[in-house]
């Protein structure tokens, strides 16, 4: 059988054969050219390859190769060409001029050999020799890509991340590591990046996903940086699997939403509880009041005495509700302090003026002792007064004879200047055992006279919590039978 | 106060309704009664308008805030002071109530000994001029 050597060579040789006019118009486009570049003959014949497969940044190179071939008869370069699908291939190009017999060039015979994989192997060899130890020691997955977008190196972290066996990533287009839907855009991104090389930090840019060999996806963060080698520029891509971080972020976000909801529910509950507890108390306190005002008619002595019991019971319940709600608010972090500069002495005198009648009504002396003038505080006036009122009321309540003294002084602790507002009484005093649990809710001092003093049992607990909220504390010193001193200590300034 | 005035009381809780109306009537005032905001609004619009409206806030059908909005949009009720008597008495509640455009605020439980004089003081003060207007 006769062998059609010409046909075989033209169509079946692995390299692309192109016949061009001296002006660069394609006259023949071989079958292997079709398979390398993706364009069929009738898309190419009659056109200039500069408009088809030569990337813009390689156009000058292509033109000078043609000139050289026309002038000297031969030229050869290695360059990049763009296929119909946008991917880039490395080609080794040789061009020869064929004359018309009268010394004028008639055709350019151009042979293009796809050396993409050879180039990968060359780059890989270079990277392996110089950088593989360094890149293997990185905690992130590292993938190096050459200008054709082929992977020339992947460290074992990257192989594990994308579930490839050792060495199997080498030579693949980097788009193989991306989900299908992101590939098209990526080719353009990649070309743009090679056109304008710069280091880009991890996590900048868009939400990215990696594609494992088994087709599953995972969220990634990618950092890019150029790496110059003698054989051209490579791009180093550091890849981090952020599945776990995303999961934690999502969990945190969900937790935050949940917490905000729980917080809002707690607010609503507190507001409702306050409202619902006060509503029936309104009738109890109100009608007891109308009866005691004798609006409906006269009362006998027993009725009046018993109604006073109902009244004070109602008042007590109201105080309990107020204190409990205050504590609940402090514990829920709902107490907003309005911090303003205060002149201690003025506030103390205001509180003293309110409570002096109660002390003197019991026959107690009542005094203010100002040790240091012009002590200034930056704190919430209402909270400050509330604590002071509580301490002074307690002092009056537990003192049968003698005096209650409010003392205003500066106290130095190390480098700290503190303001100490103390309330001293000459009352029954507090035993060691009671001192231990004085600030606990509903704690009562062991009675000596056989009955507990009135009160909610929440006052000191609330005051101590409030003081803590204000950045201070309440201290106590006491000796049974001698008296007690409670002090509110706050930072001066 | 020597002259009897007509006070519209809006309150859904029967015991509190009885208590407040009892106190106001004992002081010689004429008390009109409504059990929610909608009833209150209907009653307020009957001629002649009341001299003062005393209203609870949390009520079924129409609450005190909504009733106030309707009242403030009604030209014939423009001069009638509206005061809130409410068990919303946590910190911030009074500000919230006054910002909504009420002319006065009394918290529950009320103090029966002073309640009537508080109401009369608000009546005497009349419509509050200062402060922001009611929400539209």
């Amino acid at each position: 059988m006769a062998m059609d050597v010409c046909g075989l060579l033209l169509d079946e040789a692995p390299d692309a054969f192109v016949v061009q006019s001296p002006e660069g118009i394609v006259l023949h486009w071989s079958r292997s050219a079709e398979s390398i570049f993706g364009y069929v003959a009738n898309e190419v014949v009659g056109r200039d390859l500069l408009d088809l497969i030569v990337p813009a940044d390689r156009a000058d190179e292509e033109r000078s190769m043609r000139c050289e071939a026309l002038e000297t008869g031969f030229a050869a370069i290695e360059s990049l060409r763009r296929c119909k699908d946008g991917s880039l291939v490395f080609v080794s190009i040789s061009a020869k001029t064929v004359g018309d017999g009268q010394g004028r060039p008639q055709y350019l015979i151009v042979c293009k050999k796809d050396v993409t994989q050879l180039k990968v192997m060359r780059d890989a060899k270079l990277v392996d020799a110089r950088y593989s130890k360094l890149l293997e020691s990185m905690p992130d997955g590292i993938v190096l890509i050459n200008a054709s977008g082929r992977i020339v190196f992947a460290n074992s972290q990257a192989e594990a991340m994308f579930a490839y066996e050792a060495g199997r990533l080498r030579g693949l287009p980097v788009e193989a590591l991306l989900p299908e839907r992101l590939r098209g855009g990526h080719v353009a991104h990649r070309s743009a990046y090679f056109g304008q090389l710069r280091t880009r930090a991890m996590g900048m840019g868009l939400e990215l996903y990696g594609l494992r060999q088994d087709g599953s996806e995972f969220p990634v963060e990618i950092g890019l940086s150029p790496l110059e080698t003698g054989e051209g520029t490579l791009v180093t891509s550091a890849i981090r699997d952020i599945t776990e971080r995303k999961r934690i972020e999502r969990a945190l976000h969900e937790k935050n939403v949940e917490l905000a909801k729980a917080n809002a529910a707690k607010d609503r509950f507190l507001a409702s509880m306050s409202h619902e507890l006060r509503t029936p108390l309104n009738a109890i306190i109100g009608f007891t009041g109308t009866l005691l005002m004798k609006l409906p008619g006269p009362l006998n002595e027993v009725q009046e005495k018993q109604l006073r019991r109902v009244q004070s019971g109602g008042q007590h319940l109201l105080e309990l509700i107020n204190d409990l709600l205050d504590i609940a608010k402090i514990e829920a972090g709902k107490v907003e302090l309005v911090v303003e500069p205060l002149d201690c002495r003025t506030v103390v005198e205001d509180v003293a003026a309110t409570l002096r009648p109660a002390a003197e009504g019991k026959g107690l002396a009542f005094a203010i002792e100002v040790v240091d003038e012009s002590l200034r505080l930056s704190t919430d006036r209402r909270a400050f007064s509330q604590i002071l009122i509580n301490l002074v009321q307690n002092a009056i309540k537990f003192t049968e004879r003698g005096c209650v003294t409010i003392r205003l002084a500066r106290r130095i602790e190390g480098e700290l200047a503190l303001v100490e507002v103390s309330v001293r009484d000459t009352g029954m005093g507090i035993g060691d055992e009671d001192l231990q649990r004085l600030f606990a809710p509903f704690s009562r001092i062991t009675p000596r006279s056989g009955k507990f003093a009135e009160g909610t049992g929440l006052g000191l607990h609330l005051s101590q919590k409030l003081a803590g909220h204000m950045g201070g504390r309440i201290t106590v010193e006491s000796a049974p039978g001698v008296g007690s001193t409670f002090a509110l200590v706050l930072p001066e300034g | 106060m020597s002259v009897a005035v007509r006070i519209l009381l809006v309150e859904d809780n029967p015991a509190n309704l009885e208590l407040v109306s009892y106190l106001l009537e004992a002081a010689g005032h004429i008390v009109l009664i409504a059990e929610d905001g909608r009833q209150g609004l209907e009653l307020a619009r009957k001629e002649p308008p009341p001299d003062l409206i005393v209203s609870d806030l949390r009520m079924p059908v129409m609450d005190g805030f909504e009733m106030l909005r309707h009242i403030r949009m009604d030209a014939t009720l423009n001069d009638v002071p509206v005061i809130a008597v409410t068990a919303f008495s946590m910190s911030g509640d009074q500000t919230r109530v006054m910002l909504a455009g009420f002319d006065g605020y009394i918290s529950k439980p009320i103090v029966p000994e002073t309640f009537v004089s508080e109401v009369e003081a608000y009546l005497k003060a009349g419509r509050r001029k200062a402060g922001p207007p009611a929400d539209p």
Side-chain angles (χ1 to χ4, degrees):
Chain A
M1 203 169 82
M3 187 170 64
D4 175 10
V5 178
C6 288
L8 264 181
L9 279 180
L10 209 56
D11 289 334
E12 305 302 337
D15 300 342
F17 290 107
V18 185
V19 181
Q20 293 170 210
S21 71
E23 293 73 34
I25 301 302
V26 175
L27 304 171
H28 180 81
W29 182 254
S30 75
R31 285 232 304 258
S32 37
E34 289 181 358
S35 68
I36 290 174
F37 298 106
Y39 288 99
V40 295
N42 61 18
E43 291 174 294
V44 182
V45 171
R47 299 183 63 183
D48 190 326
L49 290 180
L50 279 167
D51 303 329
L52 288 169
I53 64 168
V54 184
D57 60 334
R58 306 282 179 156
D60 290 343
E61 186 190 55
E62 165 81 11
R63 287 193 193 95
S64 59
M65 180 201 71
R66 288 182 193 177
C67 287
E68 190 187 339
L70 291 171
E71 281 166 18
T72 68
F74 181 81
I77 56 166
E78 187 174 286
S79 187
L80 273 177
R81 290 295 177 264
R82 190 181 306 287
C83 304
K84 193 179 178 186
D85 66 3
S87 62
L88 292 167
V89 288
F90 271 109
V91 283
S92 169
I93 307 172
S94 46
K96 181 172 185 270
T97 306
V98 177
D100 61 357
Q102 289 153 18
R104 285 194 303 261
Q106 190 172 17
Y107 303 115
L108 264 178
I109 309 294
V110 186
C111 173
K112 291 189 164 84
K113 183 185 186 69
D114 181 353
V115 294
T116 307
Q117 290 306 323
L118 286 174
K119 173 80 171 136
V120 166
M121 300 319 286
R122 275 203 326 260
D123 290 340
K125 218 166 156 184
L126 187 139
V127 171
D128 280 350
R130 284 198 213 158
Y131 305 113
S132 71
K133 276 210 179 110
L134 173 72
L135 297 176
E136 274 301 334
S137 71
M138 301 289 194
D140 292 319
I142 305 283
V143 170
L144 264 64
I145 297 144
N146 68 12
S148 69
R150 298 305 201 279
I151 295 169
V152 301
F153 177 89
N155 67 0
S156 47
Q157 287 83 325
E159 287 168 343
M161 196 183 291
F162 290 94
Y164 279 81
E165 284 163 41
R168 299 302 289 271
L169 279 173
R170 180 163 288 166
L172 292 182
V174 69
E175 280 74 27
L177 303 181
L178 298 178
E180 192 87 41
R181 63 178 190 284
L182 299 177
R183 282 179 195 169
H186 192 262
V187 173
H189 275 305
R190 178 153 55 75
S191 305
Y193 186 80
F194 265 95
Q196 193 191 349
L197 292 165
R198 70 204 144 89
T199 299
R200 216 179 66 181
M202 273 226 176
M204 267 179 56
L206 315 155
E207 290 237 313
L208 292 173
Y209 291 88
L211 180 72
R212 295 191 192 91
Q213 198 176 14
D214 63 10
S216 59
E217 291 183 20
F218 57 102
V220 292
E221 216 172 45
I222 293 178
L224 298 177
S225 58
L227 176 69
E228 300 295 342
T229 73
E231 288 284 313
T233 305
L234 302 177
V235 171
T236 310
S237 174
I239 306 161
R240 192 171 290 172
D241 181 345
I242 55 168
T243 306
E244 183 62 10
R245 205 186 71 199
K246 287 260 177 196
R247 192 187 63 74
I248 291 169
E249 278 172 3
R250 208 164 37 240
L252 266 179
H253 177 73
E254 279 164 15
K255 205 83 207 159
N256 275 340
V257 170
E258 220 171 89
L259 273 176
K261 272 190 197 159
N263 231 352
K266 198 159 29 173
D267 283 358
R268 277 199 304 280
F269 179 75
L270 273 181
S272 290
M273 186 167 75
S274 165
H275 187 273
E276 297 311 307
L277 289 174
R278 282 177 218 273
T279 300
L281 260 185
N282 193 43
I284 296 169
I285 292 174
F287 282 118
T288 314
T290 57
L291 287 169
L292 283 166
M293 287 155 79
K294 304 191 174 76
L295 289 177
L299 296 171
N300 69 35
E301 212 172 294
V302 179
Q303 286 169 331
E304 183 158 350
K305 190 178 159 214
Q306 292 180 353
L307 279 168
R308 295 257 171 242
R309 293 273 186 228
V310 179
Q311 190 177 46
S312 65
Q315 290 297 345
H316 185 94
L317 198 49
L318 179 60
E319 283 163 29
L320 271 173
I321 291 167
N322 287 337
D323 284 357
L324 282 171
L325 286 168
D326 279 350
I327 291 168
K329 275 199 297 189
I330 292 176
E331 287 185 347
K334 294 290 165 206
V335 172
E336 283 173 26
L337 298 178
V338 183
V339 176
E340 55 177 335
L342 293 185
D343 178 46
C344 285
R345 185 168 185 165
T346 316
V347 184
V348 168
E349 278 169 354
D350 285 350
V351 169
T354 325
L355 296 174
R356 185 180 294 277
E360 291 176 350
K362 260 183 105 174
L364 302 174
F366 192 78
I368 302 179
E369 208 178 296
V370 180
V371 179
D372 292 293
E373 291 284 346
S374 68
L375 288 174
R376 297 200 65 81
L377 282 173
S378 288
T379 193
D380 182 284
R381 178 188 293 270
R382 211 177 130 261
F384 180 73
S385 301
Q386 188 180 339
I387 295 173
L388 193 56
I389 289 170
N390 176 248
L391 297 182
V392 175
Q393 275 176 339
N394 284 347
I396 296 171
K397 190 158 57 184
F398 293 104
T399 307
E400 295 308 323
R401 65 183 70 82
C403 59
V404 171
T405 310
I406 307 178
R407 183 172 178 274
L408 199 51
R410 180 177 288 114
R411 175 159 149 184
I412 304 294
E413 276 179 16
E415 306 214 325
L416 274 180
L418 303 167
V419 171
E420 183 182 81
V421 188
S422 55
V423 180
R424 191 173 70 234
D425 66 48
T426 55
M428 58 199 263
I430 304 160
D432 276 350
E433 197 181 304
D434 284 331
L435 269 180
Q436 302 296 319
R437 48 185 189 83
L438 199 58
F439 293 99
F442 302 114
S443 72
R444 295 297 172 95
I445 292 171
T446 314
R448 286 151 190 266
S449 53
K451 66 173 190 150
F452 285 107
E454 277 181 30
T456 60
L458 291 169
L460 274 179
H461 177 66
L462 178 57
S463 289
Q464 184 67 292
K465 278 202 175 294
L466 207 49
H469 201 56
M470 294 158 76
R473 63 181 192 278
I474 295 172
T475 62
V476 58
E477 285 169 27
S478 187
V482 179
S484 311
T485 303
F486 286 81
L488 168 61
V489 183
L490 291 166
E492 189 182 356
Chain B
M1 197 166 273
S2 49
V3 186
V5 293
R6 294 169 73 249
I7 297 174
L8 170 58
L9 172 61
V10 191
E11 165 70 76
D12 67 311
N13 181 297
N16 290 333
L17 184 77
E18 188 184 327
L19 172 66
V20 174
S21 62
Y22 180 80
L23 281 167
L24 293 173
E25 280 169 354
H29 300 302
I30 297 157
V31 181
L32 314 168
I33 285 166
E35 290 175 8
D36 62 56
R38 185 169 300 283
Q39 279 186 24
L41 195 59
E42 283 167 12
L43 217 50
R45 283 170 172 164
K46 283 196 176 148
E47 286 296 321
D51 298 304
L52 175 73
I53 298 171
V54 172
S55 179
D56 189 16
L57 291 179
R58 185 184 272 193
M59 290 180 289
V61 188
M62 183 190 284
D63 69 14
F65 291 106
E66 197 184 341
M67 183 188 76
L68 179 73
R69 279 197 293 276
H70 287 287
I71 287 173
R72 287 293 165 250
M73 285 188 287
D74 190 327
T76 61
L77 298 173
N78 208 25
D79 298 330
V80 185
V82 183
I83 68 174
V85 178
T86 176
F88 285 120
S89 56
M90 291 174 82
S91 68
D93 283 337
Q94 178 164 4
T95 311
R96 185 163 63 99
V97 167
M98 297 308 274
L99 279 176
F102 283 91
D103 298 296
Y105 168 90
I106 298 173
S107 73
K108 288 177 185 170
I110 62 166
V111 180
E113 291 82 358
T114 58
F115 179 75
V116 172
S117 58
E118 283 179 79
V119 170
E120 287 172 350
Y122 281 126
L123 178 65
K124 200 175 162 196
R127 287 277 286 116
R128 189 165 54 97
K129 295 285 180 277
D135 287 341

